[in-house]
Amino acid sequence: MIADVAQEKEWVIAALEGDREAFASLVAAYQRPVYNLCYRMLGTQTEAEDAAQEVFVKLFRRLHTYDIDRKLSSWVLSVASHHCIDRLRRRRLKTVDIEEMPAWRPLVSARPQPERQLLDAEREARVVALLDQLEPHYRLPIVMHYWNGLSYQEICEATGLSLSALKSRLHRARLKMATLLQEQAEDLVPASSAELGA
Amino acid sequence: MAISCEEILELYSLQIDGELDEVGQGRMRRHVSDCPECAPMLTAVQQVDQLFRSTPEIALPEGFAQRAVARALDEAAGRDLRIGVAILMIGTLLIGSLAVLGRVDLVVATVTRLLAPGLVDAVEPAIATLLVAATIGGEALLALSAVLRSQLLGPLLVPVIAMGMATAALWWVLNRTSPSRQPVSL
């Protein structure tokens, strides 16, 4: 749920004056895009929840630095993307538990699952594993485009990239993932939603 | 003008996002119809696109917004407390330093009374003047420190030490049980 611009500005101003309900409204409005950005960037739900919470902590702390003339969604996603990239950098410096790493394996459940759920789980695992192969600065525009539904211009506003740089990154990211797909012997394309829905 | 397969793939990336103009689309069609080499990679790029487009958003964990708001407010409150404690500690150090200043007179006395008079006779007049000025300044500092010591050491020393200890204890407690790490419900 993204509120209209005037409403958002009212919330920001009220939150700056100490109105907790206004800040809660901002969180409610942006929880979904922020959480999804964090999840697609970081790859696990546990880390995504922690990171997304930290993003809102940062937003609350830095609310006074927000330029009211700027689009709020761009600012929010900019803070979220910087936070995720920082976490990915820190993660590279630490030893990563192999169990926490995304892998090319289907998500297995102890109880029997309907075919649709198994397909969804397998598709999800493939997406996570593919994204994991991308460098963060290539992953970010892909995530913003596909899961935050941002246009080229909106991605440029949130990331500070030029239009030509964005086009280049999307192209290179797709090429890399297409190459990875080609390298896989198995068929990685999920059944289309039309087939599944039939 | 001939167009390379690399350029075609770049144009295709724009096309699947609906960002390719008609001229670009025409160039693509002409190249692809004559170039079987591009086909496998174009298909793979299309598969990636379909895979991502058919993968929905992930559902939010239940109660996420409440936890996020609570944590943000909680950490802000914790930060305010830390700033308050830091100010208290700096104040304590300043007041404590004033008390310690009473000891400076020993150093000043040594420098001004023992070294300066002997040097005045042995150096140039300009330097001698400076040394005399330094001696007078030193004497003034000595008098000031004596006053401060008499005023501060007696009445303020005990409260200063007590306040310093209380501040250190509070700081330790705050860092041990940071509110941001505890689950909070609104």
Side-chain angles (χ1 to χ4, degrees):
Chain A
M1 175 195 74
I2 303 289
D4 65 75
V5 175
Q7 176 70 76
E8 284 182 349
K9 286 183 179 175
E10 280 179 24
W11 284 339
V12 170
I13 292 165
L16 280 169
E17 290 169 354
D19 185 342
R20 294 175 174 209
E21 290 299 319
F23 178 67
S25 300
L26 284 172
V27 174
Y30 282 97
Q31 57 176 334
R32 179 173 288 194
V34 168
Y35 179 77
N36 269 275
L37 179 79
C38 293
Y39 173 69
R40 294 296 171 196
M41 287 299 289
L42 302 172
T44 68
Q45 294 193 45
T46 309
E47 201 172 358
E49 162 131 18
D50 190 46
Q53 284 186 14
E54 287 176 350
V55 168
F56 286 112
V57 170
K58 278 189 178 177
L59 290 171
F60 187 61
R61 193 189 306 156
R62 298 180 186 171
L63 207 53
H64 66 282
T65 67
Y66 167 62
D67 177 2
I68 204 82
D69 295 326
R70 191 180 172 191
K71 205 170 167 184
L72 185 63
S73 59
S74 297
W75 182 65
V76 169
L77 292 177
S78 168
V79 172
S81 55
H82 279 108
H83 188 68
C84 289
I85 287 173
D86 283 346
R87 280 184 81 119
L88 288 168
R89 281 191 190 130
R90 286 201 301 272
R91 186 197 283 177
R92 272 194 301 191
L93 299 175
K94 290 194 298 186
T95 306
V96 179
D97 186 346
I98 195 78
E99 291 297 319
E100 290 180 5
M101 292 182 68
W104 286 91
R105 58 172 185 258
L107 301 178
V108 181
S109 169
R111 18 170 224 187
Q113 288 183 303
E115 187 184 4
R116 172 68 179 265
Q117 284 181 15
L118 281 172
L119 282 172
D120 286 349
E122 192 176 347
R123 179 175 53 198
E124 184 60 42
R126 285 172 182 161
V127 169
V128 169
L130 267 181
L131 289 175
D132 189 55
Q133 298 298 311
L134 289 178
E135 289 293 316
H137 60 283
Y138 284 111
R139 197 182 309 172
L140 180 62
I142 286 284
V143 169
M144 286 183 156
H145 181 64
Y146 283 104
W147 288 282
N148 291 127
L150 300 189
S151 66
Y152 279 15
Q153 189 189 341
E154 288 168 328
I155 297 175
C156 289
E157 285 171 10
T159 59
L161 286 172
S162 67
L163 186 60
S164 59
L166 171 65
K167 287 177 180 175
S168 171
R169 287 194 189 182
L170 285 170
H171 161 61
R172 289 181 186 282
R174 282 175 169 136
L175 267 192
K176 175 156 189 182
M177 290 185 292
T179 307
L180 287 168
L181 273 190
Q182 281 189 321
E183 286 169 3
Q184 299 294 324
E186 58 191 285
D187 178 18
L188 298 173
V189 185
S192 71
S193 50
E195 288 167 352
L196 288 169
Chain B
M1 187 179 69
I3 188 167
S4 69
C5 294
E6 168 71 19
E7 287 171 290
I8 284 300
L9 287 166
E10 203 163 344
L11 292 181
Y12 188 58
S13 182
L14 295 174
Q15 188 185 31
I16 57 182
D17 290 338
E19 298 282 340
L20 187 61
D21 58 22
E22 285 187 14
V23 176
Q25 288 179 28
R27 294 175 76 191
M28 259 203 70
R29 273 196 300 272
R30 282 193 296 278
H31 179 96
V32 172
S33 62
D34 295 334
C35 178
E37 290 174 19
C38 288
M41 187 54 90
L42 288 175
T43 303
V45 170
Q46 188 183 30
Q47 287 174 342
V48 170
D49 182 60
Q50 285 177 350
L51 175 65
F52 285 1
R53 286 188 198 281
S54 63
T55 304
E57 281 188 333
I58 196 89
L60 281 163
E62 200 174 333
F64 171 78
Q66 270 194 321
R67 288 193 295 279
V69 171
R71 185 167 167 183
L73 297 175
D74 197 33
E75 292 207 4
R79 194 178 70 252
D80 290 346
L81 257 180
R82 283 191 185 84
I83 291 171
V85 170
I87 291 170
L88 202 59
M89 286 185 81
I90 291 168
T92 305
L93 284 172
L94 281 174
I95 295 170
S97 301
L98 282 176
V100 172
L101 194 64
R103 296 292 177 190
V104 174
D105 61 339
L106 297 175
V107 181
V108 174
T110 305
V111 172
T112 55
R113 286 179 181 162
L114 298 178
L115 294 180
L119 285 172
V120 168
D121 299 333
V123 296
E124 293 293 323
I127 299 176
T129 307
L130 281 176
L131 284 172
V132 170
T135 305
I136 294 168
E139 292 287 354
L141 191 59
L142 184 70
L144 178 65
S145 67
V147 170
L148 286 172
R149 186 172 61 166
S150 66
Q151 291 298 311
L152 294 174
L153 276 183
L156 287 182
L157 189 59
V158 172
V160 161
I161 291 172
M163 195 162 65
M165 289 177 68
T167 305
L170 188 58
W171 181 264
W172 181 78
V173 167
L174 279 174
N175 279 307
R176 240 179 95 82
T177 57
S178 173
S180 63
R181 301 292 168 221
Q182 297 173 1
V184 180
S185 57
L186 283 177

mmCIF file of all heavy atoms in Angstrom, chain B residues 58 92 186:
data_model
loop_
_atom_site.group_PDB
_atom_site.id
_atom_site.type_symbol
_atom_site.label_atom_id
_atom_site.label_comp_id
_atom_site.label_asym_id
_atom_site.label_seq_id
_atom_site.Cartn_x
_atom_site.Cartn_y
_atom_site.Cartn_z
ATOM 1 N N ILE B 58 7.249 -11.713 -1.866
ATOM 2 C CA ILE B 58 7.219 -12.609 -0.710
ATOM 3 C C ILE B 58 6.255 -12.011 0.328
ATOM 4 O O ILE B 58 6.189 -10.793 0.478
ATOM 5 C CB ILE B 58 8.646 -12.790 -0.141
ATOM 6 C CG1 ILE B 58 8.741 -13.985 0.798
ATOM 7 C CG2 ILE B 58 9.132 -11.552 0.561
ATOM 8 C CD1 ILE B 58 9.075 -15.254 0.080
ATOM 9 N N THR B 92 31.109 15.547 34.099
ATOM 10 C CA THR B 92 31.857 15.009 35.231
ATOM 11 C C THR B 92 33.357 15.150 35.022
ATOM 12 O O THR B 92 34.101 15.564 35.916
ATOM 13 C CB THR B 92 31.512 13.512 35.410
ATOM 14 O OG1 THR B 92 30.110 13.395 35.541
ATOM 15 C CG2 THR B 92 32.188 12.945 36.637
ATOM 16 N N LEU B 186 3.817 -3.041 21.150
ATOM 17 C CA LEU B 186 3.191 -1.715 21.302
ATOM 18 C C LEU B 186 1.962 -1.787 22.198
ATOM 19 O O LEU B 186 1.285 -2.790 22.188
ATOM 20 C CB LEU B 186 2.768 -1.200 19.934
ATOM 21 C CG LEU B 186 3.872 -0.642 19.060
ATOM 22 C CD1 LEU B 186 3.311 -0.233 17.726
ATOM 23 C CD2 LEU B 186 4.605 0.495 19.718
#
